[in-house]
Amino acid sequence: MDEIKLTGMLGAAAKVIELAIAEDIGPGDATSLATLEADTMVQGRIVAKTSGVVAGLPVARAVFRQVDPAIQFVSLAEDGQEVIPGELVATVSGSAQSILAAERIALNFLQRMSGIATLTRQFVDAACTTKATILDTRKTVPGHRLLDKHAVRMGGGENHRASLFDMIMIKDNHVDASGGIVAAVKRAREMFPDLPVEVEVRDLEELRQALDIQPPLDRILLDNMDLSTLREAVGLGAGKVPLEASGGVTLARVEQIASTGVDLISVGALTHSPPALDISMKTSPPDPTRTTAALQCRATRAKSQLGKRVVILGHHYQRDEVIRLADVLGDSLQLARHAAGTDAEFIVFCGVHFMAEVAAVLARPGQHVLIPDPTAGCFLADTATQAAVEQAWQVLAEITGDRAAGITPVTYVNSSAGLKAFCARHGGTVCTSSNATRVIAWALEQRPKLFFFPDQHLGRNTARRMGIAPQEMVVWDPFLPPPADVLRQARVILWPGACNVHQRFRPEHVHQIRRKHPHIQVIVHPECPMEVVDLADLSGSTSAIIEQIAKAPAGSRWAVGTETRLVRRLQSEHPDRLVLPLAPVPPYCRTMSQVTLANLVSTLEGLAEGELCNEVRVDADTAHWAQIALERMLAL
């Protein structure tokens, strides 16, 4: 987290907190003063009641401490982290009178800021497969601007101008009142030569005027344009001046707006109408049977009862308390191989659904694969549906003539069993981030073209490393497919999918970390955008990142661009090395977080009692073809 921005935000919060305390507590909390003894001490548990992104924990801490400096506030999550229902976010301990007086004020800040962060994350994820950055606006609660904008950053968005004095933004009213765009820009630059200048345009003619201004503007705002006009605008201005779309942006439309190629999308709704995230505080002690220690004991007891009948597979992005119970820890390839070779009757997969599907496909007769939370999906996998890929394949067949002879389909392992089966039926296979180079080389030996899905970044980064030029690659756009001649000339056709964790790393993060730590080495996952991979010192799979940090000399410095739980674990495992998250707001994988110690215990105890909970099954035909695809990969 950017310490300078955090300090500024807390400085602004102090004034608002003071007003809130005067408004809500005034001379004292009459109820608590009347009903509680002055020396009564309690512990409060702040718990998320719905899924969302937490923001405002430093503000909540400041509220409690301003009411009573003796209150102890312990954060168990960090701003920017996604939480699930029932997750303990923080604890407070101290005087019951003080804690209950401060409770509502702290929760008001925390719920609103977390609501902003959660809504922002939804917009960021909706535009994840494009290059567009989500921005906020000045439509904030008066006095709360720095708090609202902090929450937007925690949700993965970026801040537009903070106030009227830090950027020139020439809108329609300024243009009309000053005699036109050129005149308005001239006057603005003469009066404030050091401020960046953005101009709002209402049509393509005004855009042309804005593009002709020299030196170039810092940004052009495309106001309330329809999708076709936005595409034309991008055609005129792409690469010349950053283009920002604004007006009528909703969650339902933002993906299509982003797919036009604009660089930025500003969304007033992020701060003017976010629903609060449901977060509560209880002072009652936790259920002793549900504490971490108790759940660990229950899990250990169930594992002991099951013995060698069960094996627990854990992906590196899982929660630490889940990892501690795993028999095998690995990334997708390692776990797939272990699943294929285990003799256990029950395979409990602590990961996401597609991983458990792979294990189910490779399992031998009599083996059962279970997942503690069957709804734990994968954002990246969900960007490519069976229907959408088959529709694209049909278009490619019509354009290239003979698809069976011309194109090899390859799916990243982060995909459904159905898409793996699709690849096998059409002569293709599967890859992981560890073996993508080997698989893509094989695919291009089979046929002259490659259709790679769902992760465009892994496909692009791998192909470029193999010497395939960017102009030989094209991204399939489901909203507006590439022209036929472009598809015919391309060697690599990329699906537009992306991981909503790795997509959030940006070139500016690399520049920022190197300014702060001049001798640091940057290592990133190949699911990161090409611009980030190009700036990094190294890129590699999850296992490759772990191995690189493990063999690095003491005293070395690393900034790691991958899921935050793994980065935090590397920090604790290698205290003689500096290991930092690459981004100032470290991204967590929400769906990996859905496997918890509690639902893992439920799965194990169910097995011990003879109950198959959340078994993962794949129909026989799909499993047959998916296994062929996986076996082709494992044979390479």
Side-chain angles (χ1 to χ4, degrees):
M1 193 180 303
D2 190 314
E3 294 301 326
I4 295 176
K5 289 182 178 178
L6 178 60
T7 301
M9 186 272 294
L10 287 174
K15 301 174 185 177
V16 183
I17 290 170
E18 186 176 344
L19 291 172
I21 290 174
E23 171 186 76
D24 201 43
I25 301 177
D29 172 7
T31 304
S32 294
L33 290 171
T35 60
L36 300 172
E37 298 293 337
D39 59 354
T40 301
M41 308 295 283
V42 296
Q43 183 185 70
R45 294 164 49 82
I46 298 176
V47 177
K49 299 180 74 174
T50 56
S51 296
V53 180
V54 172
L57 286 168
V59 178
R61 176 189 290 109
V63 170
F64 283 108
R65 297 301 299 275
Q66 196 159 326
V67 169
D68 182 351
I71 291 176
Q72 297 298 310
F73 184 100
V74 179
S75 295
L76 299 174
E78 65 175 319
D79 273 17
Q81 181 178 336
E82 298 200 44
V83 294
I84 62 174
E87 185 158 356
L88 184 60
V89 172
T91 61
V92 287
S93 55
S95 161
Q97 289 183 352
S98 299
I99 286 175
L100 294 180
E103 173 192 0
R104 184 69 267 156
I105 301 171
L107 289 179
N108 283 346
F109 282 109
L110 191 58
Q111 288 179 316
R112 173 176 167 79
M113 294 178 72
S114 298
I116 292 171
T118 299
L119 183 59
T120 301
R121 183 66 52 81
Q122 292 170 358
F123 274 89
V124 169
D125 283 352
C128 178
T129 60
T130 73
K131 67 176 183 177
T133 297
I134 300 297
L135 301 175
D136 55 23
T137 70
R138 288 170 37 249
K139 296 176 181 178
T140 54
V141 171
H144 286 243
R145 177 158 298 166
L146 292 185
L147 282 69
D148 287 359
K149 285 183 172 285
H150 170 84
V152 167
R153 292 196 302 276
M154 295 307 103
E158 297 291 337
N159 298 147
H160 209 295
R161 59 177 175 164
S163 303
L164 291 172
F165 49 76
D166 62 2
M167 180 181 184
I168 301 288
M169 187 168 176
I170 301 172
K171 304 191 78 173
D172 53 355
N173 290 331
H174 303 103
V175 170
D176 294 341
S178 61
I181 289 174
V182 175
V185 171
K186 183 175 184 297
R187 291 183 56 146
R189 282 177 164 169
E190 286 173 352
M191 183 165 290
F192 297 102
D194 296 327
L195 289 182
V197 178
E198 178 170 12
V199 170
E200 176 184 278
V201 299
R202 292 163 286 191
D203 52 43
L204 296 179
E205 181 52 39
E206 287 189 344
L207 173 61
R208 292 185 181 93
Q209 293 177 43
L211 289 170
D212 285 341
I213 292 173
Q214 294 299 323
L217 296 166
D218 295 281
R219 191 182 297 173
I220 296 175
L221 176 66
L222 309 172
D223 182 45
N224 279 296
M225 293 184 180
D226 60 33
L227 295 175
S228 61
T229 307
L230 282 174
R231 290 192 185 94
E232 286 188 68
V234 169
L236 290 170
K240 299 175 183 176
V241 177
L243 300 177
E244 174 188 339
S246 184
V249 182
T250 64
L251 269 174
R253 295 187 68 234
V254 69
E255 182 183 5
Q256 287 183 288
I257 293 171
S259 72
T260 64
V262 294
D263 303 286
L264 308 143
I265 303 174
S266 52
V267 187
L270 301 182
T271 53
H272 72 56
S273 55
L277 189 68
D278 194 357
I279 300 173
S280 68
M281 190 187 83
K282 296 293 184 183
T283 58
S284 56
D287 181 346
T289 67
R290 305 287 290 180
T291 63
T292 299
L295 289 171
Q296 290 279 1
C297 289
R298 289 168 59 187
T300 301
R301 183 165 55 248
K303 281 187 70 176
S304 178
Q305 290 174 337
L306 291 164
K308 294 183 178 180
R309 296 175 66 204
V310 68
V311 62
I312 301 175
L313 308 182
H315 191 273
H316 290 297
Y317 298 167
Q318 289 290 296
R319 298 168 180 268
D320 286 347
E321 59 268 26
V322 172
I323 289 294
R324 293 188 194 105
L325 289 167
D327 299 300
V328 182
L329 180 62
D331 63 11
S332 297
L333 179 60
Q334 291 169 315
L335 296 176
R337 285 177 168 166
H338 193 88
T342 184
D343 292 325
E345 180 182 354
F346 306 115
I347 301 168
V348 178
F349 212 121
C350 297
V352 293
H353 197 267
F354 79 81
M355 298 178 182
E357 273 192 336
V358 171
V361 166
L362 296 176
R364 294 192 300 277
Q367 289 186 312
H368 303 274
V369 177
L370 302 94
I371 185 169
D373 186 341
T375 68
C378 171
F379 180 93
L380 170 58
D382 291 344
T383 63
T385 65
Q386 186 91 17
V389 169
E390 289 184 352
Q391 183 178 17
W393 186 253
Q394 183 61 41
V395 173
L396 292 173
E398 294 170 359
I399 290 172
T400 59
D402 185 358
R403 65 186 176 195
I407 308 173
T408 305
V410 171
T411 187
Y412 189 24
V413 71
N414 296 42
S415 59
S416 68
L419 286 182
K420 294 178 178 72
F422 170 88
C423 285
R425 290 189 184 101
H426 296 285
T429 186
V430 183
C431 79
T432 70
S433 54
S434 301
N435 64 17
T437 300
R438 192 160 63 250
V439 171
I440 289 177
W442 171 86
L444 290 172
E445 287 172 1
Q446 310 307 304
R447 298 166 189 162
K449 292 182 183 293
L450 168 71
F451 184 27
F452 188 92
F453 48 89
D455 188 2
Q456 60 174 305
H457 299 306
L458 177 64
R460 182 182 297 107
N461 289 324
T462 305
R464 288 181 72 239
R465 190 166 58 246
M466 296 169 62
I468 298 174
Q471 55 267 32
E472 296 181 276
M473 295 182 252
V474 63
V475 176
W476 177 265
D477 183 347
F479 297 112
L480 188 67
D485 59 335
V486 172
L487 290 169
R488 290 190 188 100
Q489 293 172 12
R491 289 185 67 194
V492 177
I493 300 159
L494 301 168
W495 191 259
C499 167
N500 61 343
V501 170
H502 294 106
Q503 175 80 351
R504 287 176 54 196
F505 295 106
R506 297 185 177 277
E508 53 265 33
H509 297 154
V510 181
H511 298 313
Q512 289 168 4
I513 201 83
R514 284 186 169 142
R515 281 194 297 269
K516 190 171 183 179
H517 302 277
H519 302 295
I520 203 162
Q521 295 187 77
V522 177
I523 184 168
V524 301
H525 197 283
E527 290 178 15
C528 292
M530 176 185 71
E531 297 80 4
V532 175
V533 172
D534 287 351
L535 288 170
D537 299 291
L538 296 166
S539 72
S541 67
T542 303
S543 292
I545 290 172
I546 294 169
E547 291 167 9
Q548 183 63 48
I549 302 296
K551 71 181 183 182
S556 59
R557 300 181 174 194
W558 296 89
V560 184
T562 192
E563 205 276 343
T564 304
R565 282 196 172 86
L566 173 60
V567 180
R568 299 295 191 214
R569 198 172 301 127
L570 291 172
Q571 287 174 323
S572 63
E573 290 174 354
H574 304 286
D576 59 345
R577 275 143 275 194
L578 179 67
V579 182
L580 300 173
L582 175 59
V585 182
Y588 288 84
C589 179
R590 177 184 58 81
T591 51
M592 284 286 187
S593 301
Q594 289 180 227
V595 175
T596 65
L597 184 56
N599 56 36
L600 174 57
V601 167
S602 295
T603 300
L604 293 173
E605 289 182 339
L607 286 174
E609 295 172 3
E611 180 184 357
L612 286 174
C613 308
N614 304 327
E615 184 174 7
V616 177
R617 296 185 178 93
V618 180
D619 70 84
D621 185 63
T622 300
H624 167 74
W625 285 104
Q627 183 167 4
I628 290 173
L630 289 162
E631 287 174 349
R632 283 177 187 161
M633 174 189 74
L634 294 172
L636 293 176

